[in-house]
């Protein structure tokens, strides 16, 4: 099913206009936010689920990528398409030994390790793989901030790493995830999978933020700020204003809470 979606994305991308700012026009939701939320299944994480992340294989590769190491890149992409992820990781590690700052190699190795992590049954081994993969994506971004796949895979891997943390950590990571998906879309406007993942993030994050608020109202001012921002991105300005107001009524118990209230003051909805 994932491959069929990817194939459709190749020709459907020019007319796909989803992404957070445009979703509300095609998917209008009228029920109250918290009433609509349901407690997410245990272990789902705060952002995009693993099944949906599996769609993100149709990566936009700029000409500069292939120009750096065409033979290695071609072989790597062939191995990826063949689902030979262990061999792919070995190939890329060898190539990176002589080109440690090559963004095209770094994000591909991060992607390969994510795929290996998906197949790993043991939680410690799975976590070690996604943590290493995120570090590689971070290095890729440091090497080339204008690389769309670097941003896409950084967002995906940050989401995966967040699955091993608590609710607060997931909330902190959530908008960093969105920011990198948005950058991926801006850098590669015809990459349908980045737009899809950004759209999924908006709705999935909204449900998780709302469920967290329903379970423990006011437990974390940042959660209310995230609700305001997510509603704003979905074009639901009335709900965004309400969550902003609730955030501003929160008590600042920590320096982080105080910073959150300052951010809420600056939020224009």
């Amino acid at each position: 099913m994932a491959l069929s979606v990817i194939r459709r994305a190749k020709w459907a991308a020019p007319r796909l206009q989803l992404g957070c700012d445009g979703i509300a026009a095609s998917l209008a939701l009228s029920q109250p936010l918290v009433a609509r939320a349901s407690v997410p299944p245990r272990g789902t994480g705060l952002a995009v689920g693993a099944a949906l992340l599996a769609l993100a294989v149709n990566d936009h590769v700029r000409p500069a990528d292939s120009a750096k190491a065409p033979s290695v890149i071609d072989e790597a992409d062939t191995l990826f398409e063949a689902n030979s992820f262990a061999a792919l990781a070995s190939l890329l590690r060898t190539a990176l030994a002589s080109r440690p700052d090559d963004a095209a190699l770094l994000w591909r190795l991060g992607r390969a390790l994510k795929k290996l992590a998906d197949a790993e049954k043991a939680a410690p081994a799975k976590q070690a793989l996604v943590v290493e993969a995120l570090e590689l994506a971070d290095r890729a971004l440091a090497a080339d901030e204008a690389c769309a796949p670097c941003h896409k895979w950084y967002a995906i891997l940050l989401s995966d790493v967040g699955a091993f943390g608590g609710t607060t950590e997931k909330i902190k990571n959530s908008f960093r995830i969105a920011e990198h998906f948005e950058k991926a879309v801006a850098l590669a406007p015809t990459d349908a999978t980045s737009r899809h993942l950004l759209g999924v993030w908006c709705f999935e994050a909204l449900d998780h933020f709302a469920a967290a608020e329903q379970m423990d109202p006011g437990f974390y001012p940042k959660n209310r700020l995230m609700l305001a921002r997510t509603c704003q991105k979905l074009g639901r300005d009335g709900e965004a204003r309400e969550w902003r107001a609730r955030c501003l009524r929160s008590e600042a118990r920590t320096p982080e809470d105080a910073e959150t209230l300052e951010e809420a003051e600056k939020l224009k909805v």
Side-chain angles (χ1 to χ4, degrees):
M1 179 177 180
L3 288 177
S4 65
V5 173
I6 294 163
R7 292 191 187 101
R8 288 198 301 271
K10 291 181 178 179
W11 58 262
R15 55 197 179 96
L16 181 59
Q17 299 297 328
L18 293 179
C20 285
D21 295 332
I23 291 176
S26 58
L27 293 171
L29 303 178
S30 58
Q31 297 178 19
L33 180 61
V34 172
R36 192 175 61 253
S38 58
V39 177
R42 190 172 182 179
T44 55
L46 223 175
V48 186
L52 289 166
L53 292 181
L55 297 176
V57 297
N58 184 26
D59 294 299
H60 178 82
V61 181
R62 295 179 301 126
D65 282 348
S66 298
K68 291 178 181 177
S71 60
V72 173
I73 295 298
D74 290 345
E75 186 176 353
D77 290 346
T78 297
L79 288 170
F80 184 82
E81 291 297 329
N83 298 321
S84 300
F85 304 126
L88 171 59
S90 178
L91 171 73
L92 292 171
R93 288 188 193 281
T94 299
L96 279 166
S98 59
R99 295 190 294 280
D101 298 322
D102 190 320
L105 299 176
L106 287 164
W107 72 256
R108 282 177 170 82
L109 180 55
R111 180 180 65 174
L113 296 185
K114 185 263 190 296
K115 295 297 184 180
L116 290 173
D118 288 345
E120 179 60 56
K121 302 299 183 184
K126 182 186 289 286
Q127 183 175 7
L129 284 167
V130 295
V131 168
E132 183 185 358
L134 179 61
E135 291 172 353
L136 289 161
D138 188 47
R139 285 171 55 192
L141 278 175
D144 187 358
E145 290 187 356
C147 172
C150 293
H151 287 283
K152 178 199 292 188
W153 285 98
Y154 183 87
I156 290 170
L157 291 163
L158 185 59
S159 175
D160 276 16
V161 168
F164 295 97
T167 300
T168 300
E169 181 182 353
K170 292 172 187 174
I171 292 170
K172 288 179 178 178
N173 287 345
S174 62
F175 262 81
R176 290 174 61 202
I177 292 168
E179 286 169 4
H180 285 284
F181 276 142
E182 288 170 345
K183 287 178 181 177
V185 168
L187 289 165
T190 60
D191 181 4
T193 55
S194 286
R195 288 182 179 269
H196 170 81
L197 292 169
L198 178 58
V200 171
W201 176 89
C202 289
F203 281 105
E204 196 167 301
L206 184 67
D207 282 345
H208 280 283
F209 293 146
E213 189 68 21
Q214 186 178 41
M215 287 184 282
D216 190 0
F219 78 105
Y220 188 36
K222 191 82 168 182
N223 193 61
R224 290 178 169 178
L225 178 60
M226 295 306 189
L227 278 162
R229 286 178 169 172
T230 305
C231 286
Q232 182 184 39
K233 285 182 176 293
L234 289 168
R236 296 159 64 171
D237 291 344
E239 290 175 79
R241 285 190 289 270
E242 174 60 26
W243 283 117
R244 175 180 178 274
R246 292 190 193 186
C247 179
L248 290 172
R249 291 196 295 269
S250 301
E251 179 184 353
R253 301 184 183 91
T254 67
E256 182 190 9
D257 290 346
E259 291 178 7
T260 296
L261 297 185
E262 289 179 7
E263 290 179 40
E265 285 281 4
K266 297 175 183 177
L267 182 64
K268 297 179 181 180
V269 292

